[in-house]
Amino acid sequence: MSIELLVKLKERRAVVGVIGLGYVGLPLAVEFARGGLKVIGFDLDKSRVDSINRGQSYIPDVQTEMVGALVERGNLAAATDFSRLAETDAVIICVPTPLRKTKEPDISYILAAAEEVKAYLHSPQLVVLESTTYPGTTDEVVLPMLKDTGLTLDKDFFLAFSPERVDPGNKQYQTHNIPKVVGGVSAASTETAAALYKTIVGEVHTVSSARVAETAKLLENTYRSVNIGLVNEMAQLCYHLGIDSWEVIEAAATKPFGFMAFYPGPGIGGHCIPLDPHYLSWKARLHGFEARFIGLAEDVNSHMPNHVVQLVQDGLNAQTKPVKGSRILVVGVAYKRDINDVRESPALGIVDQLIHKGASVSYHDPFVPEMSVDGRGALASVALTDETLSACDCAVIVTDHSDVDYGRVLKLAPLVVDTRNVTRRLAMPEHEGKVVRL
Ligand SMILES: NC(=O)c1ccc[n+]([C@@H]2O[C@H](COP(=O)([O-])OP(=O)(O)OC[C@H]3O[C@@H](n4cnc5c(N)ncnc54)[C@H](O)[C@@H]3O)[C@@H](O)[C@H]2O)c1
């Protein structure tokens, strides 16, 4: 236990390093800086570092004015030079955790960041891993690296895992009002990390180990994946039975207990839900356990783009048109509403399949000016003019951004495939037969 470090944290005199200034790291760095601590953000991407030092944000949830004010006040700076880790009392790792092509965890970014931390580890210092990863990463991978320095756990350094729960685009819940789970590799590590987060978060929930904290995060994301998988299956089932799945869910959701509504969609995207459950099933498999729900949900969710393409095909067919040669306008390509992130977006698979079938595909997304589809080069967003809408054969609503006039889409496009139920309350009798809802 380092009383000196605890006091520094509690009195907000600590310098906090944040490694990886993306969707997770930048809001976190800004929150600590707003809390009065001095923050140095580290990133390999020089353009991001330069942008922060100029006082400019590149993450939609983080206001440029806020970054500017914090940089000016001297609370926030960014660097590509990791030797500045020597100035920090606590360092938090927020680097990506993708999957390899084989769907196995790729923790190479964590390893690279931990190497930098190791090179500048000093006494007393707190290290926290926030990147989502499989249970055991903090104990089995990061701890031995830090011990290699010859410094001693609980005397010289402290190590914990604390999962990030940020939900990009969510106006109600942001870093400061989302409870933080913290689990250290030792009791003193848990206590020190909890002291760090208490400077910026209202509620800190400590658990008995880093493994529990790592697994809690994976349960949260697996819970979403499995429930989304269930409603996606229901949506397909209802389509085959000719029943409106949205009306079914709306009715079931009137039950005040024992039911939580999840909604179907064109598939899942982003850096978390499609990837994280694989971290858990991979680790389980190493211990001889097959996580069946995870695999099944992944299977259903990853096939949703195929189902959407089928809806387009069925809708065009009903109007005696083939997919080949049809002009298809995809409305919204980000993986969810009001954000600019297309990572793992189902729109990518939908566009790819439609092009493969010979359709002429364009897209409109106010948040995504350009999008590249694997092996097909880049597409640029087109304006949603009356001409664009009237000239297409089918508009496919993939993402329900708030700032789109769906009434106009419904009025002008000859066929609308709606994967988000945004046309439900807008549809009039005259639209009969021209809307295909998921
Ligand atoms: N985006 C989300 O909504 C979200 C939510 C919860 C948890 N997470 C988890 O948080 C982690 C980070 O995700 P993200 O969305 O912020 O990723 P991101 O890609 O937006 O940002 C990661 C940043 O890390 C930088 N980086 C990569 N390697 C580095 C290194 N060795 N040193 C310094 N910087 C490095 C990249 O340049 C990039 O700026 C992942 O494990 C993710 O699963 C993400």
Side-chain angles (χ1 to χ4, degrees):
M1 173 69 57
S2 165
I3 302 296
E4 177 199 344
L5 179 55
L6 266 183
V7 171
K8 246 185 169 180
L9 288 168
K10 286 182 180 162
E11 293 181 353
R12 296 164 191 263
R13 287 185 290 110
V15 178
V16 178
V18 175
I19 303 184
L21 297 172
Y23 286 94
V24 165
L26 185 59
L28 187 69
V30 163
E31 211 53 49
F32 278 112
R34 278 180 51 180
L37 290 94
K38 195 170 166 216
V39 180
I40 308 171
F42 296 87
D43 206 293
L44 298 174
D45 184 339
K46 190 173 177 314
S47 66
R48 291 197 150 183
V49 166
D50 290 345
S51 174
I52 297 300
N53 289 333
R54 276 198 313 273
Q56 237 168 16
S57 172
Y58 44 81
I59 299 282
D61 283 345
V62 177
Q63 309 250 315
T64 278
E65 299 75 53
M66 178 63 73
V67 173
L70 294 169
V71 169
E72 186 139 314
R73 213 161 74 190
N75 281 91
L76 179 65
T80 50
D81 172 9
F82 287 88
S83 70
R84 293 199 63 192
L85 281 170
E87 297 169 40
T88 64
D89 300 293
V91 52
I92 307 174
I93 300 172
C94 307
V95 294
T97 41
L99 291 175
R100 298 186 190 287
K101 281 209 160 63
T102 54
K103 303 246 160 138
E104 291 183 358
D106 172 4
I107 62 161
S108 59
Y109 296 86
I110 294 183
L111 294 177
E115 279 298 342
E116 298 291 355
V117 173
K118 177 180 164 183
Y120 299 100
L121 193 70
H122 54 270
S123 176
Q125 196 178 23
L126 166 68
V127 180
V128 183
L129 180 59
E130 283 217 8
S131 302
T132 308
T133 183
Y134 59 80
T137 310
T138 313
D139 281 276
E140 295 160 14
V141 179
V142 183
L143 182 58
M145 290 172 77
L146 302 187
K147 279 187 171 168
D148 255 7
T149 58
L151 292 170
T152 308
L153 176 70
D154 285 354
K155 179 170 150 284
D156 300 315
F157 72 90
F158 305 88
L159 174 63
F161 183 82
S162 179
E164 182 49 61
R165 290 165 151 175
V166 71
D167 180 20
N170 191 326
K171 302 265 182 273
Q172 188 184 358
Y173 290 109
Q174 292 178 343
T175 307
H176 66 279
N177 60 355
I178 302 175
K180 201 90 176 85
V181 171
V182 174
V185 299
S186 63
S189 293
T190 306
E191 192 182 338
T192 312
L196 169 69
Y197 288 109
K198 277 182 186 154
T199 60
I200 57 159
V201 179
E203 188 184 337
V204 174
H205 178 89
T206 57
V207 293
S208 62
S209 65
R211 271 191 180 77
V212 169
E214 289 161 338
T215 313
K217 170 69 187 177
L218 294 174
L219 170 61
E220 290 168 20
N221 285 0
T222 300
Y223 174 84
R224 280 189 65 72
S225 172
V226 167
N227 281 287
I228 293 169
L230 174 63
V231 286
N232 277 338
E233 186 170 80
M234 276 302 284
Q236 293 179 68
L237 180 155
C238 286
Y239 182 68
H240 285 282
L241 299 187
I243 298 168
D244 182 337
S245 59
W246 300 92
E247 199 182 346
V248 170
I249 296 166
E250 198 176 273
T254 59
K255 186 178 178 188
F257 51 88
F259 184 84
M260 182 188 265
F262 281 79
Y263 298 95
I268 49 176
H271 191 326
C272 297
I273 313 295
L275 312 188
D276 299 349
H278 288 282
Y279 272 71
L280 191 51
S281 53
W282 175 82
K283 184 70 177 181
R285 204 169 297 127
L286 290 188
H287 289 254
F289 183 82
E290 198 58 45
R292 286 173 297 163
F293 271 112
I294 294 177
L296 187 57
E298 135 82 8
D299 187 47
V300 173
N301 292 329
S302 66
H303 281 89
M304 286 312 285
N306 306 29
H307 181 58
V308 174
V309 170
Q310 183 65 52
L311 298 184
V312 173
Q313 206 162 316
D314 292 353
L316 286 170
N317 192 45
Q319 297 187 358
T320 340
K321 289 179 186 172
V323 174
K324 191 172 179 143
S326 284
R327 281 152 304 184
I328 299 185
L329 174 67
V330 174
V331 180
V333 294
Y335 81 86
K336 68 174 183 176
R337 183 195 304 158
D338 297 342
I339 64 162
N340 65 354
D341 196 349
V342 290
R343 289 179 298 178
E344 313 290 329
S345 174
L348 299 167
I350 293 169
V351 169
D352 180 59
Q353 288 187 42
L354 289 171
I355 293 176
H356 184 73
K357 286 182 186 294
S360 159
V361 182
S362 58
Y363 84 91
H364 168 77
D365 191 312
F367 292 87
V368 185
E370 203 172 84
M371 168 179 86
S372 57
V373 182
D374 257 357
R376 302 203 185 272
L379 291 178
S381 173
V382 298
L384 200 63
T385 61
D386 288 0
E387 293 70 40
T388 323
L389 284 166
S390 323
C392 76
D393 295 295
C394 173
V396 191
I397 301 168
V398 173
T399 315
D400 49 346
H401 291 309
S402 315
D403 245 5
V404 170
D405 182 351
Y406 296 105
R408 203 157 57 88
V409 174
L410 198 55
K411 186 169 160 224
L412 297 172
L415 170 69
V416 177
V417 171
D418 178 3
T419 68
R420 302 284 187 174
N421 201 28
V422 286
T423 56
R424 183 186 189 87
R425 310 221 179 279
L426 303 169
M428 302 289 186
E430 68 262 30
H431 301 131
E432 186 66 37
K434 95 176 201 178
V435 184
V436 180
R437 229 170 264 126
L438 185 73

